[in-house]
Amino acid sequence: MIKNQKIRKIGGGFTMLRSIFFVISLFAAANCDQLSVLFSPKSVEFRGNSRLDSESLPDVFGAALGYSVSHPTEWDGLLIKDPFNTANGAVVIVAEGLDSFPIDGAKTYKLNGNTGSSVLSELTQKSAEHQAVSFEVDLKESSDSFTTPLGTVQPDDEEVSPQHLKPKSNKADADFLRQIAYVNGLSDLLVTSTDRIPTVHIVRVSFEALLAAHDANSPALEEANKLFVSALGELETAAEKAFDGSVIVGLVTASEGQLVRSKRQAKQEQAVEDDINLAKRYNSNYPVIFNIILWFSVVLAFSLIAISIVIGTMDPGRDSIIYRMTSTRMKKDN
């Protein structure tokens, strides 16, 4: 009888542990970040709904742009249909303070880990290594305007007339509306600019102050979400026109927006790299020229071998050019 009671207690303990682990897993799943692909070219297909490690975000966008992948992954959500016509650009919007943001028609993937916001700066560094023009901007830290390789973006605060957000009395509302105005200004700049379109540009929008100032189900927050969706739609349309459809537009939520971004650490790493012996950076035409010379040399070598074999096995008869050039009776016959 005592043994049965001990077994029941142990079984109840295991049941409680399973319940605790189940609750923890639900909590972790509910608070994980996500990647939403709003637009992608025909040569790149995002499929399935498998989870993606947040540290692999730069490699996913980099592979879609035709860059080499430094950290191989088993994620099967990306399929490169045409490796010779990959995307020419990537527009990534980072929503800081949110763990998820549903968008109709977008392919959504859960992210393992909360470092996706910080590692995205590696994408701009990788783009710079390929001699592409890129930029990253944090709209929360912008004041009156910000400068990009496309030009200067100045927000139009009077463009949006909210009903529930109170920018005059609430600083959080005013800051968020200014960020939306920045996104709309960037959309206008993308449409009108045709020179030096950046290959990668990352735009960070902060929801942290807005979420702290309003309740989760408040009309003000619902209106903010609608404004953000509208701004995303305009940015997607502008990017599609600017890149002629060869662009990837993605949204990454970052529930821990206060993470130290690797962009600020890039300068320190660059200073260290200047002191070491790095490999030479070749021009983008180097692989093309290398392949032309390589295969031309291979064809020339095989042609020379084939000609040598034909001449070596030729029958030196009277009708042969070898006989005519080597025979001592040539002059007597004539």
Side-chain angles (χ1 to χ4, degrees), residues 2-15:
I2 296 177
K3 292 182 179 181
N4 292 336
Q5 290 179 355
K6 289 183 178 180
I7 292 174
R8 291 177 182 175
K9 289 181 180 180
I10 294 174
F14 279 119
T15 304

Side-chain angles (χ1 to χ4, degrees), residues 20 30 32-33 53 89 169 201 228 268 284 302-304 319 322:
I20 293 174
C32 62
D33 299 336
D53 291 336
S169 59
H201 38 299
F228 185 59
Q268 299 176 359
S284 58
F302 278 102
S303 300
L304 182 60
D319 297 334
I322 298 178

Side-chain angles (χ1 to χ4, degrees), residues 310-323:
V310 171
I311 294 177
T313 57
M314 184 180 293
D315 183 17
R318 290 181 176 273
D319 297 334
S320 170
I321 187 174
I322 298 178
Y323 177 80

Side-chain angles (χ1 to χ4, degrees), residues 95-131:
E96 297 181 347
L98 298 178
D99 55 4
S100 63
F101 194 89
I103 299 178
D104 295 337
K107 290 291 297 182
T108 302
Y109 304 94
K110 296 292 184 180
L111 297 178
N112 293 327
N114 294 323
T115 60
S117 176
S118 59
V119 299
L120 273 176
S121 297
E122 298 178 7
L123 186 60
T124 58
Q125 299 174 13
K126 184 178 294 186
S127 176
E129 293 175 357
H130 289 75
Q131 299 180 352

Side-chain angles (χ1 to χ4, degrees), residues 164-194:
H164 303 285
L165 296 173
K166 307 298 180 183
K168 295 182 179 180
S169 59
N170 193 330
K171 186 178 183 301
D173 295 354
D175 293 341
F176 178 78
L177 291 176
R178 170 153 292 216
Q179 294 182 76
I180 295 297
Y182 273 128
V183 176
N184 294 333
L186 181 61
S187 300
D188 297 336
L189 193 62
L190 272 174
V191 174
T192 57
S193 299
T194 56

Side-chain angles (χ1 to χ4, degrees), residues 11-27:
F14 279 119
T15 304
M16 184 178 296
L17 286 176
R18 284 197 297 266
S19 301
I20 293 174
F21 285 127
F22 179 73
V23 172
I24 292 175
S25 62
L26 286 179
F27 181 78

